[in-house]
Short mmCIF file of all heavy atoms in Angstrom, two decimals:
data_model
loop_
_atom_site.label_atom_id
_atom_site.label_comp_id
_atom_site.label_asym_id
_atom_site.label_seq_id
_atom_site.Cartn_x
_atom_site.Cartn_y
_atom_site.Cartn_z
N ARG A 1 4.62 -5.10 12.04
CA ARG A 1 4.39 -4.41 10.76
C ARG A 1 5.20 -5.06 9.64
O ARG A 1 4.70 -5.25 8.53
CB ARG A 1 4.73 -2.93 10.91
CG ARG A 1 3.67 -2.20 11.72
CD ARG A 1 4.01 -0.79 12.05
NE ARG A 1 4.28 0.00 10.85
CZ ARG A 1 4.45 1.31 10.88
NH1 ARG A 1 4.35 1.97 12.01
NH2 ARG A 1 4.71 1.96 9.78
N ARG A 2 6.42 -5.44 9.94
CA ARG A 2 7.27 -6.10 8.94
C ARG A 2 6.68 -7.45 8.54
O ARG A 2 6.56 -7.76 7.35
CB ARG A 2 8.68 -6.27 9.54
CG ARG A 2 9.68 -6.88 8.60
CD ARG A 2 11.08 -6.95 9.20
NE ARG A 2 11.10 -7.74 10.43
CZ ARG A 2 11.34 -7.25 11.66
NH1 ARG A 2 11.58 -5.97 11.83
NH2 ARG A 2 11.34 -8.05 12.70
N GLU A 3 6.28 -8.24 9.52
CA GLU A 3 5.70 -9.56 9.23
C GLU A 3 4.40 -9.46 8.45
O GLU A 3 4.13 -10.27 7.56
CB GLU A 3 5.49 -10.34 10.52
CG GLU A 3 6.78 -10.82 11.14
CD GLU A 3 6.60 -11.61 12.42
OE1 GLU A 3 5.44 -11.98 12.75
OE2 GLU A 3 7.60 -11.86 13.10
N THR A 4 3.60 -8.46 8.77
CA THR A 4 2.34 -8.25 8.05
C THR A 4 2.60 -7.93 6.59
O THR A 4 1.97 -8.50 5.69
CB THR A 4 1.52 -7.14 8.72
OG1 THR A 4 1.24 -7.51 10.07
CG2 THR A 4 0.21 -6.88 7.98
N ALA A 5 3.54 -7.04 6.33
CA ALA A 5 3.86 -6.66 4.95
C ALA A 5 4.37 -7.87 4.17
O ALA A 5 3.94 -8.12 3.03
CB ALA A 5 4.89 -5.54 4.94
N LEU A 6 5.26 -8.64 4.77
CA LEU A 6 5.80 -9.82 4.08
C LEU A 6 4.74 -10.88 3.84
O LEU A 6 4.77 -11.60 2.84
CB LEU A 6 6.96 -10.41 4.89
CG LEU A 6 8.23 -9.57 4.89
CD1 LEU A 6 9.23 -10.12 5.90
CD2 LEU A 6 8.83 -9.48 3.50
N ARG A 7 3.80 -10.96 4.74
CA ARG A 7 2.75 -11.99 4.64
C ARG A 7 1.69 -11.63 3.60
O ARG A 7 1.18 -12.50 2.90
CB ARG A 7 2.10 -12.14 6.00
CG ARG A 7 1.09 -13.24 6.04
CD ARG A 7 0.67 -13.47 7.44
NE ARG A 7 0.14 -14.81 7.53
CZ ARG A 7 -0.40 -15.30 8.60
NH1 ARG A 7 -0.45 -14.59 9.70
NH2 ARG A 7 -0.87 -16.52 8.61
N LEU A 8 1.34 -10.37 3.52
CA LEU A 8 0.21 -9.97 2.67
C LEU A 8 0.60 -9.50 1.28
O LEU A 8 -0.27 -9.38 0.41
CB LEU A 8 -0.61 -8.88 3.37
CG LEU A 8 -1.28 -9.28 4.68
CD1 LEU A 8 -2.09 -8.12 5.23
CD2 LEU A 8 -2.15 -10.52 4.51
N ILE A 9 1.87 -9.22 1.06
CA ILE A 9 2.28 -8.72 -0.26
C ILE A 9 3.11 -9.76 -0.99
O ILE A 9 4.14 -10.21 -0.50
CB ILE A 9 3.05 -7.39 -0.13
CG1 ILE A 9 2.10 -6.30 0.37
CG2 ILE A 9 3.67 -7.00 -1.47
CD1 ILE A 9 2.70 -4.92 0.47
N ASN A 10 2.63 -10.13 -2.16
CA ASN A 10 3.35 -11.03 -3.04
C ASN A 10 4.40 -10.20 -3.79
O ASN A 10 4.04 -9.21 -4.43
CB ASN A 10 2.35 -11.67 -4.02
CG ASN A 10 3.03 -12.51 -5.06
OD1 ASN A 10 3.74 -12.01 -5.93
ND2 ASN A 10 2.79 -13.81 -4.99
N PRO A 11 5.67 -10.59 -3.73
CA PRO A 11 6.72 -9.77 -4.36
C PRO A 11 6.52 -9.52 -5.85
O PRO A 11 6.76 -8.41 -6.33
CB PRO A 11 8.00 -10.59 -4.12
CG PRO A 11 7.69 -11.44 -2.94
CD PRO A 11 6.22 -11.74 -3.02
N THR A 12 6.05 -10.52 -6.58
CA THR A 12 5.84 -10.34 -8.02
C THR A 12 4.70 -9.37 -8.28
O THR A 12 4.83 -8.47 -9.12
CB THR A 12 5.56 -11.70 -8.69
OG1 THR A 12 6.65 -12.58 -8.42
CG2 THR A 12 5.36 -11.55 -10.19
N GLU A 13 3.60 -9.55 -7.56
CA GLU A 13 2.46 -8.63 -7.73
C GLU A 13 2.85 -7.21 -7.33
O GLU A 13 2.43 -6.24 -7.98
CB GLU A 13 1.28 -9.11 -6.90
CG GLU A 13 0.67 -10.40 -7.42
CD GLU A 13 -0.43 -10.94 -6.50
OE1 GLU A 13 -0.76 -10.30 -5.48
OE2 GLU A 13 -0.94 -12.03 -6.82
N TYR A 14 3.66 -7.08 -6.28
CA TYR A 14 4.11 -5.76 -5.86
C TYR A 14 4.95 -5.10 -6.97
O TYR A 14 4.74 -3.94 -7.30
CB TYR A 14 4.91 -5.82 -4.56
CG TYR A 14 5.45 -4.46 -4.21
CD1 TYR A 14 4.66 -3.53 -3.53
CD2 TYR A 14 6.73 -4.07 -4.61
CE1 TYR A 14 5.14 -2.27 -3.26
CE2 TYR A 14 7.21 -2.81 -4.33
CZ TYR A 14 6.41 -1.91 -3.66
OH TYR A 14 6.87 -0.65 -3.40
N ALA A 15 5.90 -5.85 -7.53
CA ALA A 15 6.78 -5.30 -8.56
C ALA A 15 5.98 -4.81 -9.76
O ALA A 15 6.25 -3.74 -10.30
CB ALA A 15 7.81 -6.34 -8.98
N ILE A 16 4.99 -5.58 -10.15
CA ILE A 16 4.14 -5.19 -11.28
C ILE A 16 3.37 -3.91 -10.94
O ILE A 16 3.33 -2.96 -11.72
CB ILE A 16 3.18 -6.34 -11.67
CG1 ILE A 16 3.98 -7.51 -12.24
CG2 ILE A 16 2.11 -5.85 -12.64
CD1 ILE A 16 3.18 -8.79 -12.37
N ALA A 17 2.76 -3.89 -9.74
CA ALA A 17 1.98 -2.72 -9.33
C ALA A 17 2.86 -1.49 -9.17
O ALA A 17 2.48 -0.38 -9.56
CB ALA A 17 1.23 -3.01 -8.03
N GLU A 18 4.06 -1.68 -8.64
CA GLU A 18 4.96 -0.53 -8.46
C GLU A 18 5.33 0.09 -9.80
O GLU A 18 5.33 1.32 -9.95
CB GLU A 18 6.22 -0.95 -7.70
CG GLU A 18 7.13 0.23 -7.40
CD GLU A 18 8.36 -0.16 -6.64
OE1 GLU A 18 9.07 -1.09 -7.07
OE2 GLU A 18 8.60 0.47 -5.59
N GLN A 19 5.60 -0.76 -10.77
CA GLN A 19 5.94 -0.25 -12.09
C GLN A 19 4.72 0.38 -12.76
O GLN A 19 4.79 1.46 -13.33
CB GLN A 19 6.49 -1.37 -12.96
CG GLN A 19 6.98 -0.88 -14.30
CD GLN A 19 7.70 -1.96 -15.06
OE1 GLN A 19 7.57 -3.15 -14.77
NE2 GLN A 19 8.47 -1.57 -16.06
N MET A 20 3.58 -0.29 -12.65
CA MET A 20 2.36 0.20 -13.29
C MET A 20 1.93 1.55 -12.73
O MET A 20 1.49 2.43 -13.47
CB MET A 20 1.24 -0.83 -13.08
CG MET A 20 -0.06 -0.49 -13.80
SD MET A 20 -1.33 -1.75 -13.50
CE MET A 20 -0.54 -3.19 -14.16
N TYR A 21 2.07 1.73 -11.41
CA TYR A 21 1.59 2.95 -10.76
C TYR A 21 2.72 3.89 -10.35
O TYR A 21 2.53 4.78 -9.53
CB TYR A 21 0.72 2.59 -9.56
CG TYR A 21 -0.49 1.79 -9.97
CD1 TYR A 21 -0.64 0.47 -9.58
CD2 TYR A 21 -1.47 2.35 -10.78
CE1 TYR A 21 -1.74 -0.27 -9.97
CE2 TYR A 21 -2.57 1.62 -11.18
CZ TYR A 21 -2.69 0.31 -10.78
OH TYR A 21 -3.79 -0.43 -11.18
N GLU A 22 3.91 3.66 -10.93
CA GLU A 22 5.07 4.53 -10.74
C GLU A 22 5.36 4.81 -9.26
O GLU A 22 5.69 5.92 -8.88
CB GLU A 22 4.88 5.83 -11.52
CG GLU A 22 4.75 5.59 -13.01
CD GLU A 22 4.47 6.84 -13.81
OE1 GLU A 22 4.17 7.89 -13.22
OE2 GLU A 22 4.57 6.75 -15.04
N GLY A 23 5.21 3.77 -8.44
CA GLY A 23 5.55 3.89 -7.03
C GLY A 23 4.51 4.55 -6.15
O GLY A 23 4.75 4.72 -4.94
N ASP A 24 3.36 4.92 -6.68
CA ASP A 24 2.32 5.58 -5.88
C ASP A 24 1.73 4.59 -4.87
O ASP A 24 1.03 3.65 -5.24
CB ASP A 24 1.22 6.11 -6.81
CG ASP A 24 0.16 6.90 -6.08
OD1 ASP A 24 -0.50 6.32 -5.17
OD2 ASP A 24 -0.03 8.09 -6.39
N SER A 25 2.02 4.82 -3.60
CA SER A 25 1.62 3.88 -2.54
C SER A 25 0.11 3.67 -2.48
O SER A 25 -0.35 2.54 -2.24
CB SER A 25 2.13 4.35 -1.18
OG SER A 25 3.53 4.33 -1.16
N TYR A 26 -0.66 4.72 -2.67
CA TYR A 26 -2.12 4.59 -2.60
C TYR A 26 -2.64 3.67 -3.71
O TYR A 26 -3.42 2.76 -3.44
CB TYR A 26 -2.77 5.97 -2.70
CG TYR A 26 -4.27 5.91 -2.69
CD1 TYR A 26 -4.97 5.72 -1.49
CD2 TYR A 26 -5.00 6.01 -3.87
CE1 TYR A 26 -6.35 5.65 -1.48
CE2 TYR A 26 -6.38 5.94 -3.87
CZ TYR A 26 -7.05 5.76 -2.66
OH TYR A 26 -8.43 5.67 -2.65
N LEU A 27 -2.17 3.89 -4.93
CA LEU A 27 -2.63 3.07 -6.05
C LEU A 27 -2.13 1.63 -5.93
O LEU A 27 -2.85 0.68 -6.26
CB LEU A 27 -2.19 3.70 -7.37
CG LEU A 27 -2.83 5.05 -7.69
CD1 LEU A 27 -2.23 5.64 -8.97
CD2 LEU A 27 -4.34 4.94 -7.78
N ILE A 28 -0.91 1.46 -5.43
CA ILE A 28 -0.38 0.11 -5.22
C ILE A 28 -1.22 -0.61 -4.17
O ILE A 28 -1.59 -1.77 -4.34
CB ILE A 28 1.10 0.16 -4.80
CG1 ILE A 28 1.97 0.70 -5.94
CG2 ILE A 28 1.59 -1.22 -4.36
CD1 ILE A 28 3.40 1.04 -5.53
N ALA A 29 -1.55 0.09 -3.09
CA ALA A 29 -2.36 -0.51 -2.02
C ALA A 29 -3.72 -0.94 -2.57
O ALA A 29 -4.20 -2.04 -2.26
CB ALA A 29 -2.54 0.48 -0.87
N GLN A 30 -4.32 -0.11 -3.39
CA GLN A 30 -5.61 -0.47 -3.99
C GLN A 30 -5.47 -1.72 -4.85
O GLN A 30 -6.30 -2.62 -4.79
CB GLN A 30 -6.16 0.68 -4.83
CG GLN A 30 -6.79 1.77 -4.00
CD GLN A 30 -7.52 2.76 -4.91
OE1 GLN A 30 -6.99 3.20 -5.92
NE2 GLN A 30 -8.73 3.10 -4.51
N ALA A 31 -4.43 -1.77 -5.65
CA ALA A 31 -4.22 -2.90 -6.55
C ALA A 31 -3.98 -4.20 -5.78
O ALA A 31 -4.42 -5.27 -6.21
CB ALA A 31 -3.05 -2.62 -7.49
N LEU A 32 -3.30 -4.10 -4.64
CA LEU A 32 -2.95 -5.30 -3.87
C LEU A 32 -3.94 -5.61 -2.75
O LEU A 32 -3.78 -6.59 -2.03
CB LEU A 32 -1.54 -5.14 -3.29
CG LEU A 32 -0.42 -4.93 -4.31
CD1 LEU A 32 0.92 -4.77 -3.60
CD2 LEU A 32 -0.38 -6.05 -5.32
N ASP A 33 -4.95 -4.76 -2.60
CA ASP A 33 -6.00 -4.95 -1.59
C ASP A 33 -5.44 -4.96 -0.17
O ASP A 33 -5.79 -5.81 0.65
CB ASP A 33 -6.79 -6.23 -1.87
CG ASP A 33 -8.17 -6.21 -1.24
OD1 ASP A 33 -8.75 -5.11 -1.11
OD2 ASP A 33 -8.67 -7.29 -0.87
N VAL A 34 -4.54 -4.00 0.09
CA VAL A 34 -3.97 -3.81 1.42
C VAL A 34 -4.03 -2.33 1.75
O VAL A 34 -4.39 -1.50 0.92
CB VAL A 34 -2.51 -4.31 1.50
CG1 VAL A 34 -2.43 -5.82 1.28
CG2 VAL A 34 -1.59 -3.58 0.53
N THR A 35 -3.65 -1.99 2.97
CA THR A 35 -3.62 -0.58 3.37
C THR A 35 -2.36 0.09 2.85
O THR A 35 -1.36 -0.57 2.55
CB THR A 35 -3.67 -0.44 4.90
OG1 THR A 35 -2.49 -1.04 5.45
CG2 THR A 35 -4.92 -1.08 5.50
N VAL A 36 -2.40 1.40 2.79
CA VAL A 36 -1.22 2.17 2.41
C VAL A 36 -0.09 1.90 3.41
O VAL A 36 1.08 1.80 3.01
CB VAL A 36 -1.55 3.68 2.31
CG1 VAL A 36 -0.29 4.50 2.12
CG2 VAL A 36 -2.54 3.93 1.18
N GLN A 37 -0.43 1.76 4.68
CA GLN A 37 0.59 1.47 5.70
C GLN A 37 1.35 0.19 5.38
O GLN A 37 2.58 0.13 5.50
CB GLN A 37 -0.03 1.37 7.09
CG GLN A 37 0.97 1.13 8.20
CD GLN A 37 1.91 2.30 8.38
OE1 GLN A 37 1.48 3.38 8.72
NE2 GLN A 37 3.19 2.10 8.14
N VAL A 38 0.64 -0.84 4.96
CA VAL A 38 1.29 -2.11 4.62
C VAL A 38 2.22 -1.91 3.43
O VAL A 38 3.35 -2.42 3.41
CB VAL A 38 0.25 -3.23 4.37
CG1 VAL A 38 0.91 -4.48 3.79
CG2 VAL A 38 -0.49 -3.56 5.66
N VAL A 39 1.80 -1.15 2.44
CA VAL A 39 2.66 -0.86 1.28
C VAL A 39 3.89 -0.08 1.73
O VAL A 39 5.02 -0.39 1.33
CB VAL A 39 1.89 -0.09 0.18
CG1 VAL A 39 2.84 0.44 -0.89
CG2 VAL A 39 0.83 -0.99 -0.44
N GLU A 40 3.70 0.93 2.56
CA GLU A 40 4.84 1.72 3.05
C GLU A 40 5.81 0.85 3.84
O GLU A 40 7.03 1.00 3.72
CB GLU A 40 4.35 2.90 3.90
CG GLU A 40 3.64 3.97 3.10
CD GLU A 40 4.55 4.66 2.08
OE1 GLU A 40 5.73 4.91 2.39
OE2 GLU A 40 4.08 4.93 0.96
N ASP A 41 5.29 -0.05 4.65
CA ASP A 41 6.15 -0.96 5.41
C ASP A 41 6.93 -1.89 4.48
O ASP A 41 8.11 -2.16 4.70
CB ASP A 41 5.33 -1.78 6.41
CG ASP A 41 4.75 -0.94 7.53
OD1 ASP A 41 5.28 0.17 7.80
OD2 ASP A 41 3.76 -1.37 8.14
#
């Protein structure tokens, strides 16, 4: 799970999405095209 999250999430894109969606995992997952589980991990 850790390796999947690191592999599929770009740190810069995550930071932008986290700020844009105020930490909402569902909206961040949609923006990054990953599952909510990957965002939570």
